[in-house]
Structures are given as structure tokens and as C-alpha cells.
Amino acid sequence: MVFVIFDGVKSLDVAGPAEVFAEANLFGADYALSYVSPSGEAVATSTGSTMPVDGPADSVAHADTIVVCGGDVLVSAPIDPELVAAIRVLHERTRRLVSICTGSFALATAGALSGRRATTHWRYAQLFARAFPDVDVLPDALFVQDRGVFTSAGVSAGIDLALALVEADNGPDLARAVARNLVVFMQRPGGQSQFSAPLEIKPARTPTLRDVVDLISADPGLDHSAGRLADRVGVSARHLIRLFQAEFDMTPARYVEKVRLDHAKSLLDSGHNVEEAAEGAGFGSPETMRRTFVARLGLSPSQYRDRFKTTGRP
């Protein structure tokens, strides 16, 4: 298991998955962990600490699994060409190529995700989709596997993916023992959405749009067509649509759908049935809500409810 790290790497993106593999060795697995950087030099992590490496990336002749870790620098600045070149070389020398969190940006820049399904941290999913239109982005998934390339969401999702790899290599009993020892969940499948992520929309700059957003959030179940919303704040529907496109890069209808989806998830989480959630969130019918859930989350409302509802009982 070779971890590819770089200046600015997020410490937990390295430590979380690495601890899973190290813990697996205590129960009979046989993972040899090593760490490389593009230059072979130690790196400065996101916390300011120094992380040593075992050598340069091009010194790896073959590895069963290559893990490219994440870091904010991968989305805030151009990605180091040396890192991109290293990933391209290592992709040809491994059975499994894995990214943690924003490590997916490095994989995509290296061309490793072209024509593949992938995910990343929910905060950067829209940016990822715009930057790499040749990648089929699944913004809600915890982790995704497509033809030997694995991508995951945030830090905890990297742990989920590491456990899934341990299970694939060593069976469910050993993976379950690792999860129990680390006090983490065992049964979080990759297709589970990053459901806890809130609606990620930057605050509106204009007072008119702020008023509209407040109206939608206050009662998602009302008629929030562009015309009705425009009437409530005293502007034309065309002007309102322009405001939404300029500030949120989406139509009012898409924004309303996102708010309703979040509200429906909350209702299902608290134990409401599908019909109640559809009515309370303003979807109009359970079938309309079902289509939205399947399109946006990859599972039906009833599947979501059965997996994640809270009953309030001990």
C-alpha cells in the first residue's frame, strides 16, 4: 500500500486510511505501508507538521494499491505537475488506484478518471464536475469504484473505503474486527449518500435574492414557481431567474428542488413515512419525490428511510 503525499496534504487523509490497514495487520492481514512524494523529499502537511517519506514516487516499481491523499491545495491552486506526472506513472504500476477526498482532483488532472464514475468531497463536487466534464461525478456517494479506480469523499469516507478494501482482500470478519477496534461503522456502503452534508449554497448578495431564499427555506411546501416567487418580492420572473443564475449558477426551480430534497431527508430521518415527507417538503406526490431521490441520491425515499431514519428509541 503506497501513499502518495505532497506539500499541503491533509494529515487525516493519510492517517485515517493508513490506520485501517495497520489495524488490519493486527488481525492477520499483510499490508506493507509506505509513503512517497513526487520529489522524494519530506512534505509539510496541512497542520504544519513534517511528514517523512520512503522515497520518490518513481522509485515504486509495482504496488498492489496506490493511495493518493487529498488536501485543500488541490482545489485552491494549480496542481503540481510533478504530482500529476507521478500519478500517471504509478497508475500503470498498480492494481488499484485510490484517492481520498480532494485527491480525486489530482487523479482527474492526470487523466485517470476520464470516462469513469467518481466522487469527491461534497463541498467541491460542483467545481469538480465543471472542471472535469469527462468524469461522471456522483456528488453524494461516500466512495465509488470504477474499473480499478476508487474515489472517496471526505476523511471519514476514506476510512469507509479503506474498510471496504480490507473486506475485499480479507473477508468481512476481519474487516468487522478492524471496525470494532477503531470504533467506526462497518456497514456504510459506498453508495450511501453524504446525507449529512447540508445544502451548500453561498449566501445571496442582493437583498431581493436573500428574501426569496428565506421564503423558500421557511416553507419548502409552498408554491415556489419562479412567477410566484417574483410576485412576492416585486420583481419580474425573468429578473429573478437572472439573479439565481448569476449568484447560484442554477435556476430557481433547481434551487427549490435542492431545498425540498434536504427537507424531505430531514423528515425521513425523523421517522416520517414517504407520503408525509413528500407532502411536507412540497413535492406534490410520492412519485415526484421518488424520481428526485433516485436522480440525485441514487436510491429511493423508502430505501433512504430504512437505512437512516432515527426512531428516538434506545
Side-chain angles (χ1 to χ4, degrees):
M1 314 293 291
V2 177
F3 287 76
V4 181
I5 60 177
F6 46 86
D7 283 331
V9 69
K10 191 174 288 292
S11 301
L12 278 175
D13 283 3
V14 185
E19 285 291 354
V20 170
F21 298 124
E23 196 78 12
N25 286 342
L26 300 179
F27 294 94
D30 188 24
Y31 294 114
L33 307 184
S34 64
Y35 306 86
V36 300
S37 67
S39 66
E41 301 292 327
V43 305
T45 72
S46 57
T47 63
S49 62
T50 299
M51 185 175 291
V53 298
D54 298 300
D58 62 10
S59 68
V60 178
H62 175 76
D64 181 79
T65 305
I66 299 290
V67 182
V68 178
C69 302
D72 293 340
V73 295
L74 298 179
V75 295
S76 62
I79 297 176
D80 181 1
E82 281 191 302
L83 175 60
V84 175
I87 293 170
R88 287 175 177 154
V89 170
L90 292 173
H91 190 189
E92 298 177 353
R93 301 178 181 178
T94 189
R95 178 174 69 94
R96 293 188 300 211
L97 180 63
V98 174
S99 71
I100 309 299
C101 196
T102 54
S104 56
F105 281 77
L107 260 59
T109 302
L113 296 179
S114 296
R116 283 182 164 91
R117 294 176 298 112
T119 192
T120 192
H121 191 289
W122 62 267
R123 184 183 297 276
Y124 303 112
Q126 290 186 359
L127 173 63
F128 189 62
R130 289 195 300 268
F132 305 104
D134 58 338
V135 180
D136 182 8
V137 182
L138 305 183
D140 290 300
L142 287 176
F143 58 86
V144 175
Q145 186 276 137
D146 192 338
R147 288 169 288 163
V149 179
F150 298 73
T151 52
S152 64
V155 173
S156 63
I159 293 174
D160 292 318
L161 174 52
L163 281 168
L165 296 178
V166 168
E167 181 176 5
D169 296 339
N170 302 280
D173 290 342
L174 191 147
R176 190 172 296 110
V178 171
R180 186 179 298 115
N181 246 32
L182 294 177
V183 198
V184 295
F185 289 107
M186 170 65 180
Q187 301 297 334
R188 287 218 301 174
Q192 176 178 322
S193 173
Q194 300 175 57
F195 293 122
S196 60
L199 179 64
E200 176 65 4
I201 299 291
K202 59 186 178 183
R205 297 191 303 270
T206 61
T208 297
L209 204 50
R210 284 199 296 271
D211 289 344
V212 171
V213 167
D214 289 343
L215 283 170
I216 297 168
S217 299
D219 192 347
L222 294 179
D223 176 4
H224 290 313
S225 63
R228 291 298 296 273
L229 288 171
D231 288 343
R232 289 172 191 155
V233 293
V235 299
S236 70
R238 181 175 297 180
H239 179 64
L240 184 65
I241 291 170
R242 284 199 297 266
L243 287 176
F244 267 90
Q245 290 287 9
E247 294 206 30
F248 296 153
D249 194 26
M250 68 179 71
T251 64
R254 178 76 176 101
Y255 183 91
V256 170
E257 180 186 72
K258 282 177 169 286
V259 173
R260 286 176 174 165
L261 183 62
D262 269 14
H263 192 56
K265 289 188 293 185
S266 295
L267 291 171
L268 292 170
D269 286 342
S270 61
H272 290 274
N273 62 37
V274 172
E275 291 75 16
E276 291 168 341
E279 181 180 357
F283 278 104
S285 71
E287 177 56 25
T288 300
M289 186 172 80
R290 187 195 70 80
R291 289 197 297 268
T292 301
F293 265 69
V294 171
R296 303 300 174 195
L297 304 179
L299 76 174
S300 70
S302 58
Q303 289 172 321
Y304 175 95
R305 179 203 59 203
D306 291 344
R307 287 185 187 179
F308 309 114
K309 70 180 179 181
T310 56
T311 64
R313 300 185 183 92

